[in-house]
Amino acid sequence: MKRMDSLFGGMSGLLDSLGDELFQNEYALAYFNSMDFGQLFTWTEGGGDAGDVFKLENQELEYIVYRFHNPSGNIAAAYAEIFGLRLAIRTAEGLIEHSKLGNPLLVLSAAILYGITNAIADMVKLAKEGSVELSKYIKVKLTYRDHLRLFLLMHSNNERKMSRMLALIRLNTGVNPDEKQTYASGNMRSSIKLWFLPGVVRSIGTVMGSADQVEDGRFFIERKADYSY
């Protein structure tokens, strides 16, 4: 029982920390700008203005992920990591596609060639069309920001990530977060379908002063949370 307590305690801690991580990541994606990947592709082909591509306000999300203080470093890191991800996925596909060649070295060589060719094509497609399928076998389209969402989770470092977000908030607003208080209030209403005895549940709600908790055969629960720091 002690070992089971330890196991489930560890699982609970993991889910709790992951929840905070996902909330921070989605906040960053909602409130900070990212590079226009198509604009970068246009610039590499000789068009567009480099100043627009490498402005800090156009790559805030990349700075949060990669923390380079020079703009080209963040852009290069994002491009390289996306290409590396596409190469890994496409090479895995290549191993499946060429598995019948027999010789392991021949299979590996063909898979690598397949991976490089298709990864380059994926980068062009991502720039021109705005999205690319996760793989040949998983038809889920990913945009540039979807890739950054994944990298935010992969580069998990809550304290440093939060410090970069606060630095950008201070830069954009001129407000020092250390000198300001924050207050948040949230309301949640959830429900479950009652399979039996809705009248009993309604009666309990009436006794407790919550007669409207049962509606159309569903039991509703309302909670409010307030937090400040």
Side-chain angles (χ1 to χ4, degrees):
M1 292 301 295
K2 287 182 180 180
R3 290 180 179 178
M4 291 302 296
D5 286 344
S6 177
L7 173 63
F8 285 108
M11 292 173 62
S12 174
L14 175 63
L15 291 173
D16 184 55
S17 61
L18 185 61
D20 292 341
E21 182 80 12
L22 292 175
F23 178 81
Q24 290 181 10
N25 294 348
E26 291 304 313
Y27 179 90
L29 286 160
Y31 290 99
F32 295 102
N33 297 323
S34 62
M35 173 187 63
D36 184 343
F37 197 74
Q39 189 178 40
L40 174 66
F41 186 79
T42 302
W43 174 74
T44 57
E45 291 189 330
D49 186 0
D52 293 333
V53 176
F54 295 105
K55 285 181 179 179
L56 175 60
E57 55 264 32
N58 294 335
Q59 54 163 291
E60 295 172 336
L61 205 53
E62 289 83 353
Y63 170 69
I64 293 172
V65 178
Y66 300 106
R67 71 184 181 279
F68 288 107
H69 294 289
N70 59 307
S72 58
N74 293 310
I75 300 299
Y79 187 95
E81 192 157 28
I82 293 176
F83 181 79
L85 177 64
R86 302 310 311 171
L87 179 61
I89 292 173
R90 292 302 191 178
T91 301
E93 290 179 5
L95 290 172
I96 298 173
E97 293 289 321
H98 301 286
S99 59
K100 296 180 180 180
L101 293 178
N103 189 305
L105 292 178
L106 186 60
V107 172
L108 180 60
S109 300
I112 292 174
L113 180 61
Y114 176 95
I116 293 174
T117 303
N118 285 277
I120 293 173
D122 285 344
M123 299 300 284
V124 175
K125 184 177 181 180
L126 181 62
K128 290 186 175 181
E129 299 182 14
S131 64
V132 64
E133 290 181 345
L134 179 60
S135 77
K136 180 179 179 180
Y137 305 103
I138 304 176
K139 304 294 184 178
V140 177
K141 289 189 176 182
L142 298 178
T143 64
Y144 174 71
R145 287 180 71 86
D146 290 332
H147 284 86
L148 290 182
R149 177 182 278 107
L150 177 62
F151 299 150
L152 278 166
L153 190 59
M154 292 170 58
H155 297 271
S156 177
N157 192 324
N158 289 343
E159 292 184 2
R160 294 184 180 181
K161 185 189 301 181
M162 181 65 73
S163 68
R164 291 191 288 273
M165 291 167 62
L166 290 171
L168 287 171
I169 291 173
R170 183 171 183 175
L171 178 66
N172 293 336
T173 64
V175 175
N176 184 358
D178 290 338
E179 300 173 353
K180 296 293 181 180
Q181 293 183 339
T182 298
Y183 174 83
S185 177
N187 292 279
M188 181 187 74
R189 191 178 194 226
S190 58
S191 71
I192 58 173
K193 185 176 181 180
L194 293 174
W195 290 3
F196 59 91
L197 302 180
V200 174
V201 177
R202 185 182 295 107
S203 299
I204 295 174
T206 302
V207 173
M208 298 180 64
S210 303
D212 60 342
Q213 286 184 331
V214 177
E215 299 176 9
D216 299 326
R218 301 190 67 86
F219 178 60
F220 288 87
I221 302 173
E222 294 191 23
R223 293 290 184 270
K224 182 179 179 180
D226 298 275
Y227 183 69
S228 64
Y229 60 92

